[in-house]
Amino acid sequence: MAPPPRANTLLNYAGVKPDLLPFVCDAALAKQGKFMPGSHIPILPPAVLAERRPDFLLILPWNIAAEVRQKNAALAALGTQFVTAVPALTIG
């Protein structure tokens, strides 16, 4: 999911680029087809998650992690694991 500005700062500080995080998703049409500032990670529509069925889904807006998990329950049923980095790194 597309990160809020503080998460974008985290990605840039950690040197995360498209080779490590190939894309982010955002429901806002105005952001789709653009790139994350600094890292140049492409921003795609959330529908791409069902197509690509990732092994891991990094949830950058940690404050809505429960909502993101709920919306992507079908992915979890297929084996996708959800990852949050803030306030602590969790996988599950």
Side-chain angles (χ1 to χ4, degrees), residues 19-86:
D19 62 331
L20 184 59
L21 185 63
F23 64 93
V24 297
C25 293
D26 196 305
L29 293 174
K31 295 181 182 179
Q32 296 171 11
K34 300 203 167 110
F35 297 88
M36 297 294 299
S39 63
H40 208 65
I41 297 170
I43 302 171
L44 304 177
V48 80
L49 293 171
E51 297 166 10
R52 298 197 184 182
R53 294 168 47 182
D55 294 327
F56 296 93
L57 178 63
L58 175 61
I59 303 172
L60 291 165
W62 61 269
N63 56 321
I64 61 166
E67 178 184 336
V68 172
R69 283 186 178 95
Q70 183 180 14
K71 285 184 178 181
N72 292 285
L75 287 175
L78 295 171
T80 296
Q81 293 187 357
F82 298 98
V83 179
T84 55
V86 177

